[in-house]
Amino acid sequence: GENVEQHPSTLSVQEGDSAVIKCTYSDSASNYFPWYKQELGKGPQLIIDIRSNVGEKKDQRIAVTLNKTAKHFSLHITETQPEDSAVYFCAALPSGNTPLVFGKGTRLSVIA
Amino acid sequence: DSGVTQTPKHLITATGQRVTLRCSPRSGDLSVYWYQQSLDQGLQFLIQYYNGEERAKGNILERFSAQQFPDLHSELNLSSLELGDSALYFCASSVGQGNTEAFFGQGTRLTVV
């Protein structure tokens, strides 16, 4: 089955710097890759997603890139702000009607 | 607000007891997914229902069961509770069977003492 690896597990950046979180997946048939942000005491919130037919997607300060050949995808946050501090999860959706497979999460701390 | 409602938000119970967690999906969503999140752990998939029928099963213990009702709300039943069952339990919903654009509720924090 699908396996998703996420790195790093923790990341600290200065306010205004960029943050990059990387994930790899094992199932080449996976075709949908969402990213979730989980703030303390809250449920995961979908922040951006990408499908296998595109290589990059951007939404204001966040962007996701996908390399199908290498089977990895990344989340890029530019001009980080303290409110970006949270745990971020990547996920992959294998083909067929199977559930999302999540990475183990990255705890991002943005230092003011 | 994701539109997914989970109750209760907090639950404290003793070992050996049984509890029921409730989830109301977003309006129009037919799929409901249950996840368990232990301390500093990722999201472990438990079970999925689509339009009232079980669609996929993950690492769900035999002591746990779930169902989805005709009005599409879902309940997760946890029985013979153990200390290790203490965790956050999340429900998510999506329109179709494959959970693209799945939206999560705020979770139920279960503490077993």
Side-chain angles (χ1 to χ4, degrees):
Chain A
E2 176 65 278
N3 181 50
V4 177
E5 300 281 343
Q6 183 171 349
H7 300 279
S9 56
T10 59
L11 179 60
S12 290
V13 299
Q14 293 289 328
E15 182 178 359
D17 287 351
S18 296
V20 180
I21 303 170
K22 299 181 179 182
C23 289
T24 60
Y25 60 98
S26 61
D27 186 351
S28 57
S30 290
N31 54 20
Y32 174 69
F33 307 91
W35 286 88
Y36 286 84
K37 174 184 180 182
Q38 186 177 21
E39 296 175 324
L40 196 62
K42 297 187 177 181
Q45 177 190 6
L46 178 66
I47 57 171
I48 196 168
D49 56 14
I50 191 168
R51 297 178 190 272
S52 58
N53 58 344
V54 297
E56 184 174 359
K57 184 176 178 181
K58 209 170 180 179
D59 183 4
Q60 299 182 343
R61 295 187 298 108
I62 60 173
V64 57
T65 59
L66 171 65
N67 183 325
K68 286 190 297 182
T69 303
K71 290 189 282 188
H72 68 70
F73 56 113
S74 300
L75 178 71
H76 304 252
I77 307 174
T78 59
E79 301 172 22
T80 54
Q81 301 167 4
E83 51 265 40
D84 294 328
S85 296
V87 178
Y88 291 81
F89 292 96
C90 64
L93 184 67
S95 60
N97 298 321
T98 52
L100 285 169
V101 177
F102 284 86
K104 291 193 182 298
T106 296
R107 185 176 298 278
L108 173 66
S109 299
V110 179
I111 304 163
Chain B
D1 183 7
S2 67
V4 179
T5 304
Q6 287 188 248
T7 57
K9 288 187 179 177
H10 302 278
L11 200 48
I12 301 175
T13 190
T15 54
Q17 295 298 304
R18 171 189 169 98
V19 297
T20 297
L21 313 183
R22 183 188 169 102
C23 169
S24 294
R26 290 188 321 156
S27 177
D29 285 358
L30 298 179
S31 272
V32 169
Y33 312 81
W34 286 98
Y35 290 85
Q36 180 191 57
Q37 185 178 43
S38 301
L39 190 63
D40 285 337
Q41 294 294 310
L43 292 153
Q44 299 296 317
F45 169 70
L46 296 178
I47 198 164
Q48 174 199 359
Y49 280 83
Y50 175 79
N51 204 20
E53 294 188 7
E54 183 183 305
R55 269 292 180 263
K57 222 167 185 177
N59 299 321
I60 187 167
L61 300 172
E62 285 193 10
R63 301 183 285 110
F64 296 0
S65 64
Q67 55 183 342
Q68 186 179 29
F69 295 86
D71 67 352
L72 301 176
H73 91 271
S74 177
E75 292 181 356
L76 179 66
N77 300 296
L78 315 176
S79 61
S80 302
L81 285 167
E82 302 174 358
L83 295 177
D85 297 326
S86 296
L88 273 166
Y89 290 85
F90 287 105
C91 164
S93 74
S94 67
V95 172
Q97 297 187 56
N99 54 343
T100 56
E101 296 179 338
F103 294 86
F104 281 78
Q106 295 293 299
T108 293
R109 181 175 294 280
L110 173 67
T111 303
V112 182
V113 297

